[in-house]
Amino acid sequence: MTTSEAAEYLGYTIQHTRFLIRDGSLPAHKFGRDWLVDRQTVLNYFDADTANGPQDALASEQAMAAPQVTQLQAVNVAQVPQRSPFRYPGGKTWLIPCIRQWLQARPTPVAELIEPFAGGGIVSLTALFEGLADHITLVELDEDVASVWTTIFGDHGPWLAQAIAEFEPTLPNIQALLAEQDESLELQALATLVRNRVARGGILAPGAGLVKHGENGKGLTSRWYPETLRRRIVDIIERRGCMTFIAGDGLQVMRDNAARADVAWFIDPPYTVAGKRLYRYSEIDHEALFTLASQVAGDVLLTYDNAPEIQYLAAKHHLETRLIAMKTTH
């Protein structure tokens, strides 16, 4: 069987089936660029997994390490201060109360909080604004998102804030801006923030369409709050002496700083299910990420979807897990 055929038969995702192959739980042989699994091996594995009932068992160690549920009411995100200029898909505004608990439990503020997959950066920005971290470092690989942070943290931040305040989001203006966004980093940053506000769901991945009807029939302007965005950018600029931005690979930044005990890590990677639809760079090595997270000297908090392969990796690397309630609407 191919990996995809084995995954379909076992009821697992392709990623988790690959984890089983790499871990040696599901022996396979490489044939060209593909991994092939013996059909009888898959049948035997399925029989062993379902021997105790029709549940989707992973392994005895995973069953013993089932996530505990944190009984929290889902957060009303309207009650959480919005610090980021992004309307970011997969943003962590709903997690902010848990972030506060995590960082406030330390005897002293974090010397540096690093986000290897920063995106909209809401967690790090909140930590800095509320005095829970002395310094924050945002790391982002996506060129468009990186252009925004580079501009805000650099000399052209005030220009970007004013350009947002003055921009009129009509369809001709948006089309003209997107056509000239490659002329400079600052125009790329402006185009990215505009597109983030007028795209469906704020999705910046290639192919994302623009809002048609929007909220209350306002169309393209339904999520356009120029003065609010300008103020958020200005507030960040006023604190940029305590901020660092790195345009690059979050995993490499983790390797470079793994020995630092004064660093806390908030790790929010592209998830295993919806990442490809939401982000330009959605494919990451989750196994390598979990290995790094278990080895760094500083405190670590990861967020993931509750998928079987993630439960498997958390148990394998002896990471404590909790389920957190959240809402994606209202």
Side-chain angles (χ1 to χ4, degrees):
M1 289 183 175
T2 65
T3 304
S4 58
E5 289 171 338
E8 183 176 359
Y9 186 87
L10 292 169
Y12 295 150
T13 65
I14 292 178
Q15 289 125 317
H16 179 59
T17 305
R18 288 172 181 160
F19 293 148
L20 295 178
I21 290 173
R22 287 201 296 267
D23 193 53
S25 301
L26 198 62
H29 302 280
K30 193 123 185 227
F31 186 79
R33 295 171 55 188
D34 302 318
W35 285 94
L36 298 180
V37 188
D38 179 75
R39 184 175 299 274
Q40 190 59 48
T41 300
V42 175
L43 297 177
N44 293 344
Y45 192 91
F46 179 81
D47 289 341
D49 259 5
T50 57
N52 295 323
Q55 61 187 8
D56 181 22
L58 296 176
S60 59
E61 65 168 344
Q62 293 164 257
M64 293 171 63
Q68 300 181 42
V69 179
T70 297
Q71 298 295 339
L72 292 175
Q73 209 171 17
V75 173
N76 180 356
V77 297
Q79 297 176 355
V80 177
Q82 304 292 310
R83 307 295 187 186
S84 174
F86 283 97
R87 173 194 174 208
Y88 211 78
K92 289 295 167 291
T93 306
W94 59 270
L95 190 67
I96 291 301
C98 295
I99 297 297
R100 289 172 179 148
Q101 292 177 18
W102 173 50
L103 295 177
Q104 288 171 349
R106 296 173 57 96
T108 58
V110 174
E112 184 174 1
L113 177 62
I114 302 180
E115 275 198 70
F117 305 91
I122 182 63
V123 166
S124 290
L125 291 173
T126 300
L128 184 66
F129 275 67
E130 298 185 4
L132 300 174
D134 295 332
H135 192 95
I136 63 172
T137 295
L138 306 180
V139 186
E140 179 57 52
L141 188 61
D142 185 290
E143 294 87 353
D144 289 336
V145 179
S147 72
V148 173
W149 292 123
T150 300
T151 301
I152 292 177
F153 288 12
D155 295 334
H156 291 88
W159 174 89
L160 180 61
Q162 191 59 33
I164 285 289
E166 297 173 354
F167 186 80
E168 294 185 22
T170 63
L171 184 57
N173 286 349
I174 292 169
Q175 291 173 334
L177 176 61
L178 296 181
E180 63 180 7
Q181 67 177 354
D182 295 333
E183 294 184 10
S184 70
L185 185 70
E186 295 76 38
L187 281 177
Q188 183 182 4
L190 176 61
T192 298
L193 284 179
V194 169
R195 187 156 50 92
N196 176 243
R197 287 283 158 175
V198 301
R200 290 197 192 100
I203 298 173
L204 290 170
L210 300 182
V211 169
K212 289 186 178 179
H213 302 293
E215 295 179 356
N216 301 319
K218 293 182 179 179
L220 292 171
T221 63
S222 63
R223 290 298 184 96
W224 185 251
Y225 313 111
E227 179 54 30
T228 298
L229 294 177
R230 187 195 71 81
R231 184 69 251 172
R232 289 182 192 173
I233 294 172
V234 170
D235 288 344
I236 294 171
I237 291 172
E238 291 174 351
R239 295 164 174 81
R240 62 186 174 185
C242 300
M243 304 179 185
T244 300
F245 175 68
I246 299 173
D249 180 7
L251 292 181
Q252 187 57 51
V253 172
M254 290 183 68
R255 295 185 189 99
D256 294 341
N257 293 272
R260 292 181 56 190
D262 63 334
V263 168
W265 301 88
F266 175 67
I267 304 172
D268 182 39
Y271 290 173
T272 58
V273 177
K276 189 172 184 179
R277 180 176 61 86
L278 299 178
Y279 310 115
R280 172 177 289 153
Y281 298 109
S282 60
E283 295 292 331
I284 69 165
D285 189 338
H286 296 280
E287 173 78 44
L289 176 56
F290 271 82
T291 299
L292 279 169
S294 66
Q295 293 174 348
V296 295
D299 291 345
V300 175
L301 180 64
L302 298 94
T303 57
Y304 264 102
D305 46 350
N306 184 25
E309 57 267 33
I310 300 307
Q311 295 181 21
Y312 168 81
L313 286 172
K316 177 179 178 180
H317 293 280
H318 309 291
L319 300 180
E320 186 179 352
T321 57
R322 292 288 187 274
L323 294 177
I324 305 296
M326 68 163 291
K327 288 184 178 180
T328 55
T329 57
H330 310 299

PDB file of all heavy atoms in Angstrom, residues 12 86 97 115 126 129-130 134 145 187 198 237 251 257 263 275 287 325:
ATOM      1  N   TYR A  12      -6.348   7.175   9.790  1.00  0.00           N
ATOM      2  CA  TYR A  12      -5.442   8.210  10.273  1.00  0.00           C
ATOM      3  C   TYR A  12      -5.224   9.255   9.182  1.00  0.00           C
ATOM      4  O   TYR A  12      -5.522   9.017   8.009  1.00  0.00           O
ATOM      5  CB  TYR A  12      -4.076   7.618  10.639  1.00  0.00           C
ATOM      6  CG  TYR A  12      -4.085   6.660  11.790  1.00  0.00           C
ATOM      7  CD1 TYR A  12      -3.157   5.620  11.852  1.00  0.00           C
ATOM      8  CD2 TYR A  12      -4.998   6.782  12.826  1.00  0.00           C
ATOM      9  CE1 TYR A  12      -3.136   4.738  12.914  1.00  0.00           C
ATOM     10  CE2 TYR A  12      -4.981   5.905  13.885  1.00  0.00           C
ATOM     11  CZ  TYR A  12      -4.058   4.881  13.935  1.00  0.00           C
ATOM     12  OH  TYR A  12      -4.045   4.017  14.990  1.00  0.00           O
ATOM     13  N   PHE A  86      -2.965  43.008  12.488  1.00  0.00           N
ATOM     14  CA  PHE A  86      -3.480  41.959  11.610  1.00  0.00           C
ATOM     15  C   PHE A  86      -4.820  41.430  12.098  1.00  0.00           C
ATOM     16  O   PHE A  86      -5.070  41.314  13.293  1.00  0.00           O
ATOM     17  CB  PHE A  86      -2.501  40.780  11.545  1.00  0.00           C
ATOM     18  CG  PHE A  86      -1.304  41.004  10.679  1.00  0.00           C
ATOM     19  CD1 PHE A  86      -0.107  41.405  11.241  1.00  0.00           C
ATOM     20  CD2 PHE A  86      -1.362  40.804   9.316  1.00  0.00           C
ATOM     21  CE1 PHE A  86       1.014  41.613  10.459  1.00  0.00           C
ATOM     22  CE2 PHE A  86      -0.250  41.003   8.516  1.00  0.00           C
ATOM     23  CZ  PHE A  86       0.939  41.414   9.088  1.00  0.00           C
ATOM     24  N   PRO A  97      -6.161  34.814  28.005  1.00  0.00           N
ATOM     25  CA  PRO A  97      -6.245  34.536  29.445  1.00  0.00           C
ATOM     26  C   PRO A  97      -5.303  33.416  29.897  1.00  0.00           C
ATOM     27  O   PRO A  97      -4.715  33.497  30.981  1.00  0.00           O
ATOM     28  CB  PRO A  97      -7.712  34.151  29.646  1.00  0.00           C
ATOM     29  CG  PRO A  97      -8.431  34.876  28.548  1.00  0.00           C
ATOM     30  CD  PRO A  97      -7.499  34.804  27.374  1.00  0.00           C
ATOM     31  N   GLU A 115       8.457  34.131  19.628  1.00  0.00           N
ATOM     32  CA  GLU A 115       7.442  33.429  18.845  1.00  0.00           C
ATOM     33  C   GLU A 115       8.066  32.985  17.525  1.00  0.00           C
ATOM     34  O   GLU A 115       8.265  33.808  16.622  1.00  0.00           O
ATOM     35  CB  GLU A 115       6.247  34.333  18.551  1.00  0.00           C
ATOM     36  CG  GLU A 115       5.204  34.386  19.633  1.00  0.00           C
ATOM     37  CD  GLU A 115       3.870  34.935  19.123  1.00  0.00           C
ATOM     38  OE1 GLU A 115       3.202  34.232  18.335  1.00  0.00           O
ATOM     39  OE2 GLU A 115       3.527  36.057  19.514  1.00  0.00           O
ATOM     40  N   THR A 126       0.833  41.265  23.508  1.00  0.00           N
ATOM     41  CA  THR A 126       0.118  41.351  24.780  1.00  0.00           C
ATOM     42  C   THR A 126       1.078  41.220  25.951  1.00  0.00           C
ATOM     43  O   THR A 126       0.987  41.968  26.933  1.00  0.00           O
ATOM     44  CB  THR A 126      -0.966  40.267  24.861  1.00  0.00           C
ATOM     45  OG1 THR A 126      -1.906  40.447  23.787  1.00  0.00           O
ATOM     46  CG2 THR A 126      -1.704  40.328  26.192  1.00  0.00           C
ATOM     47  N   PHE A 129       3.020  44.573  26.237  1.00  0.00           N
ATOM     48  CA  PHE A 129       2.169  45.680  26.658  1.00  0.00           C
ATOM     49  C   PHE A 129       1.744  45.542  28.114  1.00  0.00           C
ATOM     50  O   PHE A 129       1.552  46.543  28.807  1.00  0.00           O
ATOM     51  CB  PHE A 129       0.927  45.752  25.762  1.00  0.00           C
ATOM     52  CG  PHE A 129       1.120  46.516  24.488  1.00  0.00           C
ATOM     53  CD1 PHE A 129       1.962  46.049  23.497  1.00  0.00           C
ATOM     54  CD2 PHE A 129       0.452  47.705  24.256  1.00  0.00           C
ATOM     55  CE1 PHE A 129       2.130  46.731  22.307  1.00  0.00           C
ATOM     56  CE2 PHE A 129       0.610  48.412  23.071  1.00  0.00           C
ATOM     57  CZ  PHE A 129       1.460  47.934  22.094  1.00  0.00           C
ATOM     58  N   GLU A 130       1.588  44.319  28.596  1.00  0.00           N
ATOM     59  CA  GLU A 130       1.106  44.097  29.963  1.00  0.00           C
ATOM     60  C   GLU A 130       2.231  43.805  30.949  1.00  0.00           C
ATOM     61  O   GLU A 130       1.975  43.394  32.082  1.00  0.00           O
ATOM     62  CB  GLU A 130       0.073  42.969  29.960  1.00  0.00           C
ATOM     63  CG  GLU A 130      -1.157  43.310  29.119  1.00  0.00           C
ATOM     64  CD  GLU A 130      -2.262  42.270  29.179  1.00  0.00           C
ATOM     65  OE1 GLU A 130      -2.117  41.293  29.942  1.00  0.00           O
ATOM     66  OE2 GLU A 130      -3.272  42.441  28.463  1.00  0.00           O
ATOM     67  N   ASP A 134      10.028  41.321  29.230  1.00  0.00           N
ATOM     68  CA  ASP A 134      10.857  42.518  29.067  1.00  0.00           C
ATOM     69  C   ASP A 134      11.162  42.805  27.598  1.00  0.00           C
ATOM     70  O   ASP A 134      11.343  43.948  27.206  1.00  0.00           O
ATOM     71  CB  ASP A 134      12.171  42.358  29.838  1.00  0.00           C
ATOM     72  CG  ASP A 134      11.948  42.268  31.339  1.00  0.00           C
ATOM     73  OD1 ASP A 134      10.936  42.828  31.819  1.00  0.00           O
ATOM     74  OD2 ASP A 134      12.773  41.636  32.033  1.00  0.00           O
ATOM     75  N   VAL A 145       3.864  38.951   5.387  1.00  0.00           N
ATOM     76  CA  VAL A 145       3.727  39.256   6.810  1.00  0.00           C
ATOM     77  C   VAL A 145       5.022  39.873   7.335  1.00  0.00           C
ATOM     78  O   VAL A 145       5.002  40.845   8.109  1.00  0.00           O
ATOM     79  CB  VAL A 145       3.362  37.986   7.605  1.00  0.00           C
ATOM     80  CG1 VAL A 145       3.243  38.305   9.096  1.00  0.00           C
ATOM     81  CG2 VAL A 145       2.055  37.392   7.096  1.00  0.00           C
ATOM     82  N   LEU A 187       5.444  49.520   0.330  1.00  0.00           N
ATOM     83  CA  LEU A 187       4.205  49.290  -0.404  1.00  0.00           C
ATOM     84  C   LEU A 187       3.725  47.852  -0.232  1.00  0.00           C
ATOM     85  O   LEU A 187       2.516  47.590  -0.177  1.00  0.00           O
ATOM     86  CB  LEU A 187       4.409  49.603  -1.891  1.00  0.00           C
ATOM     87  CG  LEU A 187       4.383  51.081  -2.275  1.00  0.00           C
ATOM     88  CD1 LEU A 187       4.683  51.247  -3.763  1.00  0.00           C
ATOM     89  CD2 LEU A 187       3.037  51.706  -1.931  1.00  0.00           C
ATOM     90  N   VAL A 198      -9.424  43.013   3.643  1.00  0.00           N
ATOM     91  CA  VAL A 198     -10.501  42.896   2.649  1.00  0.00           C
ATOM     92  C   VAL A 198     -10.616  41.487   2.078  1.00  0.00           C
ATOM     93  O   VAL A 198     -11.509  41.225   1.269  1.00  0.00           O
ATOM     94  CB  VAL A 198     -10.303  43.911   1.494  1.00  0.00           C
ATOM     95  CG1 VAL A 198     -10.283  45.328   2.036  1.00  0.00           C
ATOM     96  CG2 VAL A 198      -9.033  43.606   0.696  1.00  0.00           C
ATOM     97  N   ILE A 237       5.084  51.065  17.564  1.00  0.00           N
ATOM     98  CA  ILE A 237       6.279  51.860  17.285  1.00  0.00           C
ATOM     99  C   ILE A 237       6.852  52.455  18.571  1.00  0.00           C
ATOM    100  O   ILE A 237       8.075  52.487  18.771  1.00  0.00           O
ATOM    101  CB  ILE A 237       5.955  52.977  16.267  1.00  0.00           C
ATOM    102  CG1 ILE A 237       5.676  52.360  14.890  1.00  0.00           C
ATOM    103  CG2 ILE A 237       7.088  53.986  16.173  1.00  0.00           C
ATOM    104  CD1 ILE A 237       5.154  53.357  13.874  1.00  0.00           C
ATOM    105  N   LEU A 251      12.281  27.390  13.242  1.00  0.00           N
ATOM    106  CA  LEU A 251      12.996  26.229  13.793  1.00  0.00           C
ATOM    107  C   LEU A 251      14.480  26.537  13.968  1.00  0.00           C
ATOM    108  O   LEU A 251      15.107  26.124  14.952  1.00  0.00           O
ATOM    109  CB  LEU A 251      12.808  25.006  12.890  1.00  0.00           C
ATOM    110  CG  LEU A 251      11.396  24.415  12.817  1.00  0.00           C
ATOM    111  CD1 LEU A 251      11.384  23.201  11.905  1.00  0.00           C
ATOM    112  CD2 LEU A 251      10.886  24.034  14.192  1.00  0.00           C
ATOM    113  N   ASN A 257      18.917  29.358  19.872  1.00  0.00           N
ATOM    114  CA  ASN A 257      18.696  29.856  21.229  1.00  0.00           C
ATOM    115  C   ASN A 257      18.302  28.750  22.208  1.00  0.00           C
ATOM    116  O   ASN A 257      17.807  29.037  23.305  1.00  0.00           O
ATOM    117  CB  ASN A 257      17.610  30.926  21.219  1.00  0.00           C
ATOM    118  CG  ASN A 257      18.026  32.181  20.483  1.00  0.00           C
ATOM    119  OD1 ASN A 257      18.621  33.080  21.061  1.00  0.00           O
ATOM    120  ND2 ASN A 257      17.705  32.247  19.190  1.00  0.00           N
ATOM    121  N   VAL A 263      14.811  32.498  28.170  1.00  0.00           N
ATOM    122  CA  VAL A 263      13.843  32.668  27.092  1.00  0.00           C
ATOM    123  C   VAL A 263      12.605  31.809  27.367  1.00  0.00           C
ATOM    124  O   VAL A 263      12.708  30.674  27.815  1.00  0.00           O
ATOM    125  CB  VAL A 263      14.455  32.265  25.736  1.00  0.00           C
ATOM    126  CG1 VAL A 263      13.377  32.146  24.659  1.00  0.00           C
ATOM    127  CG2 VAL A 263      15.500  33.270  25.306  1.00  0.00           C
ATOM    128  N   GLY A 275      -3.849  24.142   7.881  1.00  0.00           N
ATOM    129  CA  GLY A 275      -2.722  25.008   7.569  1.00  0.00           C
ATOM    130  C   GLY A 275      -2.576  25.344   6.101  1.00  0.00           C
ATOM    131  O   GLY A 275      -2.310  26.496   5.743  1.00  0.00           O
ATOM    132  N   GLU A 287       7.609  16.672  13.715  1.00  0.00           N
ATOM    133  CA  GLU A 287       8.475  15.822  14.549  1.00  0.00           C
ATOM    134  C   GLU A 287       9.691  16.608  15.030  1.00  0.00           C
ATOM    135  O   GLU A 287      10.050  16.573  16.218  1.00  0.00           O
ATOM    136  CB  GLU A 287       8.924  14.596  13.743  1.00  0.00           C
ATOM    137  CG  GLU A 287       9.958  13.713  14.438  1.00  0.00           C
ATOM    138  CD  GLU A 287       9.340  12.825  15.496  1.00  0.00           C
ATOM    139  OE1 GLU A 287       8.273  12.238  15.243  1.00  0.00           O
ATOM    140  OE2 GLU A 287       9.938  12.715  16.591  1.00  0.00           O
ATOM    141  N   ALA A 325     -10.995  25.343  25.658  1.00  0.00           N
ATOM    142  CA  ALA A 325     -12.206  25.690  24.914  1.00  0.00           C
ATOM    143  C   ALA A 325     -11.982  26.949  24.090  1.00  0.00           C
ATOM    144  O   ALA A 325     -11.313  27.880  24.535  1.00  0.00           O
ATOM    145  CB  ALA A 325     -13.351  25.915  25.889  1.00  0.00           C
TER     146      ALA A 325
END
